[in-house]
Amino acid sequence: MGRKRPAIDRVFHALGDPTRRAMLEQLGEGPVSVSRLAEPLHMTLAAVVQHLQILEESGLIVTEKTGRVRSCRIDSVGLTVAEEWIRDRRTRWEKQLDKLGDLLAEEN
Amino acid sequence: MGRKRPAIDRVFHALGDPTRRAMLEQLGEGPVSVSRLAEPLHMTLAAVVQHLQILEESGLIVTEKTGRVRSCRIDSVGLTVAEEWIRDRRTRWEKQLDKLGDLLAEEN
DNA sequence: CGAATAGTTAAGTATTGACTTGAGTATCGA
DNA sequence: TCGATACTCAAGTCAATACTTAACTATTCG
């Protein structure tokens, strides 16, 4: 997996782009080379490489070059960072959210 | 809570900004007016209002105006959308991630 | 070797995003 | 009623992003 824990900033920013999420979906099927990843996307290889850098820096993928081919695959680190951020807030804000639920219940 | 389910695009984009996350943290303490929310942030009220619009459109907060004061509070819809997106992928990609774990285990 | 493949890198453009300024509108309170 | 408060809205600025093009490097294969 990726080396260090990515900043939450990077992770959410990376996930915020539809092209990058599409790339992740593709990689969910299994490891893919850069040019195969680019195929379904309507943009140049160079643009895809730039997205890959962002995904890698945010711990969402790992890549490894063998010969002239770079293979890309999902990394769980980025997803975990995002998931934990959300889970932490949700539990911390539980009371707020519960109060809100109560108010709504009363309205019915 | 907010009306409809926000697009995942909006949610991740909203969460990607540090100012907006700081606003959410503040709101986690309880409902706050726009101007009180703006106090700790080094920017104009107008800028804060723009962030609030983004947060509301992404289902992360709800606001309600009473008299001349707009009260803002956390909404769980946005957080849920993000959480579910991640959870769905994680389970779908489980095999990928497990394979990865196994490979790493073998390397040690 | 030499041509095709696979990716890399740098530089430029064009849109989006995060702000500001400034001028408004609607309460509230004395 | 009149001034202060609490936003609201429309423009405009400036930097960050998502691209493109084009030139380059490193492999593979016949």
Side-chain angles (χ1 to χ4, degrees):
Chain A
M1 308 215 193
R3 293 73 49 98
K4 61 175 190 179
R5 185 164 242 259
I8 191 69
D9 244 60
R10 284 181 183 277
V11 182
F12 280 137
H13 171 246
L15 289 175
D17 184 88
T19 301
R20 286 191 289 263
R21 285 199 310 279
M23 293 167 79
L24 289 177
E25 299 287 359
Q26 162 77 64
L27 290 172
E29 306 290 319
V32 177
S33 72
V34 176
S35 37
R36 280 218 345 100
L37 244 190
E39 268 175 26
L41 306 171
H42 302 175
M43 65 184 67
T44 61
L45 236 200
V48 171
V49 168
Q50 284 163 16
H51 282 303
L52 284 175
Q53 279 168 2
I54 290 169
L55 286 170
E56 188 156 28
E57 282 167 6
S58 59
L60 289 163
I61 67 166
V62 237
T63 73
E64 189 183 359
K65 195 159 183 177
T66 309
R68 58 183 170 176
V69 177
R70 177 171 300 278
S71 180
C72 313
R73 54 189 161 83
I74 298 278
D75 184 3
S76 66
V77 175
L79 225 53
T80 301
V81 164
E83 202 167 25
E84 286 178 354
W85 188 93
I86 295 173
R87 189 168 41 69
D88 287 357
R89 268 71 194 168
R90 190 185 280 294
T91 54
R92 200 192 307 158
W93 300 344
E94 219 165 47
K95 285 176 189 170
Q96 293 289 321
L97 298 168
D98 286 348
K99 274 182 201 162
L100 182 56
D102 292 349
L103 286 173
L104 284 172
E106 285 169 17
E107 279 169 15
N108 294 336
Chain B
M1 308 215 195
R3 292 76 45 98
K4 61 175 190 179
R5 186 164 245 258
I8 191 69
D9 243 59
R10 284 181 183 278
V11 182
F12 281 138
H13 172 245
L15 290 174
D17 184 88
T19 301
R20 287 192 288 265
R21 286 199 310 279
M23 292 167 79
L24 289 177
E25 299 286 0
Q26 162 78 62
L27 290 172
E29 305 289 319
V32 177
S33 73
V34 176
S35 37
R36 277 218 348 98
L37 243 191
E39 268 174 26
L41 307 170
H42 301 173
M43 65 185 67
T44 62
L45 237 199
V48 171
V49 168
Q50 284 163 15
H51 282 303
L52 284 175
Q53 280 168 1
I54 291 169
L55 287 169
E56 188 156 27
E57 282 166 8
S58 60
L60 289 163
I61 68 167
V62 236
T63 73
E64 189 184 359
K65 195 157 185 177
T66 309
R68 59 184 168 175
V69 177
R70 176 171 299 278
S71 182
C72 313
R73 56 190 159 81
I74 297 279
D75 184 3
S76 65
V77 176
L79 225 52
T80 301
V81 165
E83 203 167 24
E84 286 178 354
W85 187 92
I86 295 173
R87 190 168 39 70
D88 287 357
R89 267 73 196 165
R90 190 185 281 292
T91 54
R92 200 192 305 157
W93 301 344
E94 219 166 47
K95 284 176 190 169
Q96 292 288 321
L97 300 168
D98 286 347
K99 274 181 202 162
L100 182 55
D102 292 349
L103 286 173
L104 284 171
E106 285 170 17
E107 279 171 13
N108 293 337

